[in-house]
Amino acid sequence: MAISVAHTGNPAEPSAWLKRYAYLIKPPGCVLDIAAGSGRNSRWLAAQGWQVEAVDVDAAALQTMAGVPGIATRVADLEQGPWPYAERKFDAIVVCRYLHRPLLPLLAASLEPGGVLIYETFMQGHEAYGRPKNPDFLLRPNELLEAFAGELLPHAFEQGLDVARQAVVQRICAVGRAAFPARLTNEM
């Protein structure tokens, strides 16, 4: 079982990490928001013009987004059932405060060429500040870098104590290799 932890600030405020790197997402692309809950990130993304697929196991939380323009919801247990997006590709995938390691290889495979992964969750050391405390639900140092090595190119990476939130986190923004040239030239 994986865990996601409720946002400790304003529950409607989207992830600052997401807002910082959303400019990399192709407009008006399609974004998958994993473990979307009641949609703090989905709502913000849709308001910026992206089409969002919000997925969560909690049908009641997803229902709060019913009728929100630009958001489609899907109730799915990503830990017990099959990956519901085997035949789909997204311009971006967003994961905040959720970890289920078997999904990690599926994320890169579900991105369009040049797609963007924006991921943040808790890591080892966070148990001193609150839930989750179980090491199964806390990333190891550099785990996100290692999980996507060879599949995606890191654009930004952070790990450690987020003093403002009093949380120990790991964050990555990574881009599919198709977004980068195979070789550099100095031709004009």
Side-chain angles (χ1 to χ4, degrees):
M1 182 174 149
I3 190 166
S4 65
V5 176
H7 181 60
T8 55
N10 178 349
E13 184 66 26
S15 159
W17 186 252
L18 166 62
K19 289 172 67 174
R20 184 174 175 185
Y21 293 105
Y23 75 92
L24 293 168
I25 304 170
K26 175 182 138 189
C30 187
V31 180
L32 176 61
D33 184 3
I34 294 180
S38 59
R40 68 188 181 99
N41 294 320
S42 295
R43 293 169 194 274
W44 183 83
L45 286 160
Q48 308 312 305
W50 286 289
Q51 295 299 306
V52 180
E53 169 97 8
V55 62
D56 201 288
V57 70
D58 186 344
L62 290 175
Q63 182 60 34
T64 67
M65 290 184 276
V68 175
I71 299 177
T73 61
R74 179 184 292 217
V75 177
D77 186 342
L78 299 177
E79 297 171 20
Q80 301 299 319
W83 178 239
Y85 301 105
E87 302 301 319
R88 285 198 57 197
K89 300 283 186 188
F90 296 89
D91 296 300
I93 297 176
V94 174
V95 186
C96 293
R97 299 188 184 125
Y98 177 79
L99 176 62
H100 182 59
R101 286 180 175 90
L103 291 181
L104 296 178
L106 299 171
L107 300 180
S110 297
L111 284 172
E112 288 283 358
V116 179
L117 173 69
I118 300 173
Y119 199 130
E120 70 174 329
T121 196
F122 302 102
M123 68 175 287
Q124 290 174 352
H126 181 74
E127 59 276 16
Y129 295 90
R131 293 186 58 223
K133 294 181 182 288
N134 183 333
D136 291 341
F137 308 133
L138 298 170
L139 291 166
R140 297 178 301 276
N142 299 317
E143 187 170 353
L144 289 176
L145 280 175
E146 294 164 3
F148 299 108
E151 298 296 321
L152 303 174
L153 294 173
H155 180 77
F157 178 79
E158 294 180 352
Q159 64 181 343
L161 178 62
D162 181 331
V163 176
R165 286 184 39 213
Q166 288 296 292
V168 181
V169 297
Q170 193 170 129
R171 303 173 175 127
I172 194 167
C173 174
V175 180
R177 292 187 178 277
F180 295 89
R183 63 185 178 90
L184 295 176
T185 64
N186 46 345
E187 295 176 18
M188 296 293 227

